[in-house]
Amino acid sequence: MYDYGLFRYESKADLLDTAIRYWNPDKTKFWQKLGVDLVIDRREGYFLYDMSGRRLIDLHLNGGTYNFGHRHPELVETLKYALDYFDMGNHWFPSVARSALAEELVGISPGLKYAVFGAGGAEAVEIALKSARFATKRRRILSIYKGYHGHSGLSVATGDDRFSKIFLADRPEEFEQVPFNDLAAMERALSGRDVAALIIETIPATYGFPMPDDGYLPACKALCQKYGTIYIADEVQTGLMRTGEMWGWQSYGVQPDIYVTAKGLSGGLYPISAAVVDERCGDWLNIDGAAHITTTGGAELGCIVALKVLEMLQRPAVVANVAAVTEFFANGMAEMMRRHGDIFSGVRQKGVVLGLEFDHPEGAVHVSRALYEHGVWAIFSSLDKRVLQFKPGVLLSVDLCEEILDRFDAAMPRARELMHAARKAA
Amino acid sequence: MPHAANEPLMKVPDAALERGRMLLGRARWAASRLAQMDRAAIQRIVDAVAEAGHAKARAFAEAAVRETGYGVVEHKVMKNEACSRGLVALYRGEDFVSPRIDAERKIVELPRPAGVVFALIPVTNPVATVYFKTLLALMTRNAVVLSPHPGAKGVCTEAAHVLAAAAKAAGAPDGAIQVIEEPTIPLIEALMRDERVDLIVATGGPAVVKAAYRSGNPAMGVGPGNAPVLVDDTADVTEAAKRIVASKSFDNSILCTNESTVLAYASIADRLLAAMKAAGAHICTPAETEKVRALLFRDDGFNTAMIGKDAALIAKEAGFSANGAKILVTQVTLVQPEEKLVREKLCPVLAFARVDGLDQAIASARSMMRRSGKGHTAGVHSKREATILAFAAAVPALRFAVNAGCSLGASGFETHLGPSMTIGTGFAGGSSIGDNLTPHHFVHFARVAYNKAASETFGDFRGLDPLDLPKPSAPPRLVASTGAAGEADADALRRELRRIILEELNAVLAA
């Protein structure tokens, strides 16, 4: 019996049945079929506990949402205190918490002017795209093939058509995609001078973290400048110290006109997102500040947690820890490749953002399962299933890093076995 | 509307503990990297840190006296120098890093550092202890987190930063030397309990030492001193007097090894007093003794304002004059704990009692140590071996400085004991160590022990470096067998077994 006070389940099977019946049959069955029978119950630090009580080390972090781990005590305490005074607030009025967070965000974002808040990443992307259209008076949006920016009206149209066509939300006449790391294609697409914005993840997450070629991102920005297009950096998975600097665009030396942050911004405790814009893109805030309205966007509770997150991320000990975890997995994965090079074919890494390549079309799906069986949860890339998203948190300890590597090593024979079985079946 | 009171409208968490935990996490990373360094690399770091400390010995001695009000600058300079360059010179010949091969016993020993050493720093000897514990930790490839007494946090923080910068420049990993800049009792107690700490080395008052032992982490703490000093009728009285006065006045008696009470054979007592007077002691009159007793011992315990102060200043505070005196000698007739003057005094006040021989000397020493000082220090000035041994056998100290001052004798600077700012008081003194703290206490050894039987020959481990062993070849791959049906079945069975075992293991882990 799992009794949560407000609701209860007889068993895990009972929950799965309810989820299939009322929530999402396909998603629920998908994981069961894959051999990942995870229903997250307790969670603490970098650990998840399945309803069965089994412990998993979280290297998925839900895309960096749990950058600091789950329910970080300092963040939980901050939110609890905030609840003694604040609620979501009223979006119509100037607010103490929103102004403070906006000031902080702009302060750590050289070259940018205003922070506009949303509740989730897609909303922030929506704000970014609208701001770019406002600034350029152009309608067309350029993005990267297999890029990912969310599921709302404009944001979903920038992404893979798997997510747009089913809802008839694709808009090929306004949204175009070019291959990543292909500057010639980028220039062809921009040269018509009719593109409002290029939106690009600093490292495309759902595509398996392919690394931008040297100079690629600054060159994209230069092309944008040349053709009057706004450069929007999607920093949802690369911001917040994950690449070794506060924002991924800083670590690649590119200055965006707008960037978008979400997920980890409020530590997985209270949703908030932001589009941080330059003066030109944010000028609509001078003309009609109510042009974009959101009741839940920039909720004051989220602002307060986000302020704490940003303060913590700037502590020297956290900066040092990111460097240590980065170095540990750079060395550790090189050694893993030496040992398991027959299946483990490549590592993509910037800071604590890693994509691990496996030599099988669905290699990462098998590795994800093998790791799951060995007590580690890391998810494959939805849009390139050869690549495992391997996302250590910024506060990981050396002991846990060592444990992760030992478990990874131990899981490889099982991954090898699953891949061989899949080849045989094919 | 501005808030009426002077506190924020919204409460915010106290970040000190989280910051402290992050500091420990950073130390763990440093420890894991230090453990991979070889002896030459470690020696470079140790030398650089010692030189940096030595160069600032005087500046920090002055700063320590300024901040704490305890001790004598010149003597602190000596201690700082001894605990930097001196310490490193002493242990240069020893290797706490490389494997040791004992072919005779067919054993290889691999040094295994503690990891993160949490070092409590006392207010009495702040900088010397920062140097001392940091160097001991580095020699043995440990990261150190220094936790100064709040009364000395300024100078300790500065000293730690100087050592850390030198270490970093010499190739030490990030976080090898860190300091808690704003120590509070709840913070320190919480950090000592943290699982990221591998070893606590506690020098300080009994409260902090007990807290270290209560933490649940391995700890080495030390109890208070209270040294009896026997001077018998074979002693060179003039030399003994000089040594006692010099030792008792050294850094104004701030070292816990300093002399508490002289137990002088009656036959030489007057000569000894005269010689001490000649060496700079002020021999108090009974009335002065009474005034000193009243000044030093208050209803709530020792008057901490007098710790480490000059003899002349103490006399002035007590209400008499002893200008130019190095120490004050207060004669007592009762050597029992109820006579407060025979308790530990971290100031240059020395009790003096006459004994009629060895038996009474032993009884007196045991009596005065019954309240405090067990496991610590005693002194003997004598040329008769039987007296020295009888005293040592009967008195509950763990180190006896013979014909040497206790301050620097028992702490190993004027004897061949391990020079130390941390004096283990052993089982009797509530401590897990009975030695002067040395680098040996910071490292354990993994022992590779061969079968004794002559038929089993010991391997040749010479030239093998555990940090740089040849890589084993890649393991045989578990591939789908293409062999005969029987082999394939066996293979599948093995795989299935392996999977079942794994599942069971996971179930155990989850339980």
Side-chain angles (χ1 to χ4, degrees):
Chain A
M1 177 65 146
Y2 296 83
D3 188 347
Y4 297 89
L6 282 180
F7 51 87
R8 54 198 61 78
Y9 298 98
E10 281 306 321
S11 61
K12 186 168 164 182
D14 178 23
L15 169 277
L16 291 173
D17 185 50
T18 308
I20 288 168
R21 231 177 320 156
Y22 299 105
W23 175 68
N24 192 325
D26 174 63
K27 243 185 190 176
T28 308
K29 289 177 193 162
F30 172 82
W31 291 112
Q32 299 302 308
K33 252 183 279 172
L34 217 61
V36 177
D37 59 348
L38 176 63
V39 179
I40 299 165
D41 188 32
R42 263 184 331 116
R43 56 213 81 178
E44 187 173 22
Y46 289 107
F47 300 124
L48 299 172
Y49 295 84
D50 178 59
M51 277 181 90
S52 66
R54 201 161 81 84
R55 193 197 77 168
L56 291 152
I57 302 171
D58 189 2
L59 287 174
H60 174 193
L61 305 182
N62 212 358
T65 306
Y66 302 107
N67 204 19
F68 278 134
H70 293 269
R71 298 170 48 251
H72 189 282
E74 204 173 334
L75 296 178
V76 168
E77 209 181 348
T78 300
L79 180 58
K80 283 180 173 172
Y81 283 140
L83 281 163
D84 290 336
Y85 203 88
F86 292 95
D87 51 22
M88 293 201 315
N90 183 326
H91 64 90
W92 281 104
F93 299 100
S95 130
V96 290
R98 267 197 296 278
S99 302
L101 178 60
E103 184 179 10
E104 175 65 23
L105 273 172
V106 171
I108 54 173
S109 307
L112 303 179
K113 181 82 192 282
Y114 299 109
V116 191
F117 297 114
E123 187 177 1
V125 168
E126 211 75 7
I127 292 165
L129 296 176
K130 292 200 295 186
S131 297
R133 281 181 166 181
F134 160 84
T136 58
K137 312 302 172 207
R138 298 175 183 172
R139 198 171 279 276
R140 299 192 68 222
I141 306 289
L142 186 62
S143 57
I144 295 298
Y145 173 74
K146 300 284 185 193
Y148 181 95
H149 305 285
H151 295 263
S152 61
L154 297 178
S155 67
V156 76
T158 66
D160 196 73
D161 62 14
R162 171 187 161 190
F163 305 123
S164 53
K165 281 200 162 153
I166 185 173
F167 298 120
L168 314 186
D170 54 323
R171 305 186 201 182
E173 66 290 355
E174 291 176 18
F175 290 80
E176 191 188 345
Q177 298 179 344
V178 292
F180 189 58
N181 275 336
D182 184 343
L183 283 170
M186 175 80 60
E187 178 148 23
R188 275 197 300 279
L190 293 175
S191 59
R193 296 180 185 273
D194 60 348
V195 177
L198 163 67
I199 182 163
I200 182 166
E201 295 163 272
T202 303
I203 310 170
T206 313
Y207 195 16
F209 298 124
M211 291 294 139
D213 292 343
D214 277 350
Y216 173 69
L217 294 174
C220 288
K221 169 66 196 261
L223 287 173
C224 285
Q225 261 175 322
K226 182 173 172 189
Y227 295 112
T229 297
I230 299 299
Y231 181 102
I232 303 172
D234 185 328
E235 287 281 328
V236 173
Q237 293 224 25
T238 47
L240 306 170
M241 286 303 299
R242 294 200 52 74
T243 63
E245 299 208 36
M246 184 58 83
W247 308 113
W249 49 266
Q250 291 173 312
S251 49
Y252 284 103
V254 56
Q255 173 68 49
D257 303 302
I258 303 177
Y259 76 88
V260 173
T261 177
K263 288 196 192 286
L265 181 59
S266 52
L269 293 182
Y270 201 97
I272 193 166
S273 65
V276 183
V277 301
D278 72 0
E279 186 151 22
R280 177 178 170 221
C281 297
D283 197 38
W284 62 269
L285 295 159
N286 292 309
I287 297 166
D288 181 0
H292 179 86
I293 283 179
T294 166
T295 301
T296 50
E300 289 185 290
L301 291 169
C303 289
I304 288 163
V305 182
L307 272 167
K308 190 72 192 171
V309 164
L310 295 176
E311 182 263 310
M312 287 167 69
L313 282 170
Q314 292 173 74
R315 292 179 189 170
V318 176
V319 177
N321 208 70
V322 174
V325 176
T326 300
E327 188 193 314
F328 180 90
F329 283 113
N331 296 335
M333 286 303 161
E335 173 61 20
M336 288 302 117
M337 271 183 61
R338 195 189 67 75
R339 294 187 200 172
H340 307 288
D342 60 324
I343 54 167
F344 182 9
S345 49
V347 178
R348 307 159 172 186
Q349 180 178 11
K350 180 80 175 175
V352 291
V353 172
L354 286 90
L356 310 182
E357 300 165 21
F358 292 90
D359 186 23
H360 183 278
E362 295 220 323
V365 177
H366 301 303
V367 172
S368 184
R369 176 176 176 172
L371 285 172
Y372 180 71
E373 291 170 3
H374 283 76
V376 172
W377 174 234
I379 198 167
F380 47 85
S381 309
S382 294
L383 301 180
D384 185 351
K385 290 182 175 154
R386 293 178 307 122
V387 184
L388 186 77
Q389 293 187 357
F390 190 91
K391 295 181 270 198
V394 289
L395 293 187
L396 269 186
S397 67
V398 61
D399 303 70
L400 199 50
C401 285
E402 285 171 356
E403 182 177 341
I404 289 165
L405 209 59
D406 287 344
R407 286 176 181 271
F408 186 95
D409 194 24
M412 285 301 104
R414 172 66 172 150
R416 186 175 287 120
E417 182 186 84
L418 287 167
M419 281 183 224
H420 283 307
R423 278 219 171 85
K424 240 175 153 181
Chain B
M1 273 286 288
H3 191 39
N6 270 340
E7 24 180 276
L9 293 165
M10 194 189 93
K11 283 216 286 183
V12 291
D14 173 15
L17 182 56
E18 278 308 318
R19 285 175 184 274
R21 286 180 178 144
M22 285 178 184
L23 188 136
L24 295 181
R26 199 171 180 179
R28 286 207 73 74
W29 279 108
S32 77
R33 289 165 170 169
L34 282 166
Q36 298 301 312
M37 298 179 92
D38 64 19
R39 189 176 179 221
I42 290 293
Q43 192 63 48
R44 267 196 301 280
I45 297 166
V46 167
D47 284 337
V49 169
E51 286 306 311
H54 193 269
K56 299 278 278 182
R58 176 164 297 276
F60 287 146
E62 288 167 356
V65 172
R66 215 165 33 239
E67 184 174 357
T68 66
Y70 299 154
V72 179
V73 169
E74 284 310 317
H75 296 160
K76 287 197 185 295
V77 172
M78 285 170 61
K79 284 194 294 188
N80 293 348
E81 289 177 353
C83 286
S84 50
R85 209 182 262 174
L87 196 70
V88 171
L90 179 74
Y91 291 112
R92 186 170 301 281
E94 287 196 60
D95 183 349
F96 305 102
V97 175
S98 315
R100 301 167 177 184
I101 300 166
D102 184 345
E104 191 80 13
R105 292 162 59 229
K106 294 163 77 172
I107 287 176
V108 182
E109 296 180 330
L110 305 173
R112 197 58 61 80
V116 174
V117 174
F118 193 85
L120 291 157
I121 305 300
V123 68
T124 47
N125 301 291
V127 177
T129 310
V130 164
Y131 287 7
F132 176 69
K133 290 186 177 174
T134 299
L135 285 168
L136 257 52
L138 292 175
M139 285 176 196
T140 45
R141 296 187 295 175
N142 291 291
V144 67
V145 174
L146 299 156
S147 175
H149 185 284
K153 66 183 181 186
V155 68
C156 287
T157 298
E158 214 189 320
H161 288 163
V162 165
L163 302 190
K168 196 175 175 199
D174 174 80
I177 303 170
Q178 296 181 89
V179 61
I180 296 166
E181 299 184 17
E182 292 300 334
T184 62
I185 289 169
L187 174 66
I188 299 313
E189 293 202 341
L191 294 181
M192 287 198 297
R193 283 194 300 270
D194 196 287
E195 62 180 13
R196 282 161 279 211
V197 169
D198 294 294
L199 171 63
I200 302 166
V201 185
T203 316
V208 79
V209 172
K210 291 263 186 253
Y213 278 118
R214 263 200 317 273
S215 70
N217 275 319
M220 292 178 192
V222 298
N226 189 28
V229 182
L230 171 66
V231 186
D232 78 358
D233 53 358
T234 65
D236 179 333
V237 169
T238 312
E239 275 305 311
K242 278 189 201 159
R243 285 169 182 154
I244 291 169
V245 172
S247 170
K248 188 64 194 172
S249 61
F250 183 79
D251 209 9
N252 286 339
S253 270
I254 208 85
L255 286 169
C256 53
T257 45
N258 80 81
E259 287 85 349
S260 167
T261 302
V262 170
L263 305 170
Y265 274 33
S267 55
I268 53 95
D270 288 332
R271 274 203 292 137
L272 182 61
L273 279 174
M276 285 167 75
K277 191 174 176 190
H282 172 89
I283 312 299
C284 294
T285 65
E288 288 169 349
T289 295
E290 182 49 45
K291 285 177 180 167
V292 170
R293 187 187 288 114
L295 173 70
L296 295 187
F297 295 94
R298 301 282 171 82
D299 291 341
D300 56 349
F302 192 81
N303 180 359
T304 53
M306 292 299 113
I307 291 175
K309 294 292 190 293
D310 286 348
L313 189 142
I314 293 169
K316 191 169 162 235
E317 287 289 313
F320 63 96
S321 171
N323 288 338
K326 289 184 175 164
I327 69 170
L328 306 178
V329 176
T330 54
Q331 297 188 66
V332 297
T333 48
L334 182 70
V335 187
Q336 292 294 338
E338 55 268 36
E339 167 54 85
K340 291 171 179 167
L341 283 169
V342 304
R343 296 179 187 169
E344 183 183 39
K345 300 168 292 299
L346 295 174
C347 66
V349 173
L350 179 68
F352 186 100
R354 291 158 201 262
V355 293
D356 62 11
L358 181 58
D359 291 338
Q360 199 192 345
I362 288 172
S364 298
R366 290 168 61 94
S367 298
M368 62 179 274
M369 293 175 91
R370 207 154 269 138
R371 186 174 185 272
S372 87
K374 281 201 283 286
H376 212 290
T377 295
V380 184
H381 296 266
S382 169
K383 294 199 161 51
R384 191 186 294 132
E385 293 82 355
T387 301
I388 296 167
L389 273 193
F391 193 69
V395 171
L398 281 169
R399 52 199 63 68
F400 295 80
V402 177
N403 299 331
C406 278
S407 281
L408 296 177
S411 57
F413 296 95
E414 289 181 355
T415 61
H416 291 294
L417 294 171
S420 190
M421 297 310 293
T422 299
I423 306 297
T425 48
F427 307 127
S431 174
S432 58
I433 55 164
D435 288 332
N436 289 8
L437 194 74
T438 66
H440 308 87
H441 291 105
F442 284 48
V443 60
H444 287 166
F445 290 86
R447 295 195 167 82
V448 180
Y450 269 58
N451 192 328
K452 267 178 164 178
S455 58
E456 201 59 55
T457 39
F458 185 54
D460 184 2
F461 291 92
R462 286 169 301 176
L464 281 180
D465 178 0
L467 298 175
D468 188 25
L469 291 172
K471 295 273 184 202
S473 56
R477 298 300 181 210
L478 194 69
V479 292
S481 173
T482 49
E487 274 176 46
D489 285 347
D491 225 31
L493 183 65
R494 266 199 300 279
R495 281 201 300 274
E496 185 58 21
L497 275 174
R498 206 173 284 193
R499 215 175 59 73
I500 289 166
I501 290 166
L502 185 70
E503 273 174 10
E504 280 174 0
L505 272 175
N506 278 329
V508 170
L509 283 175

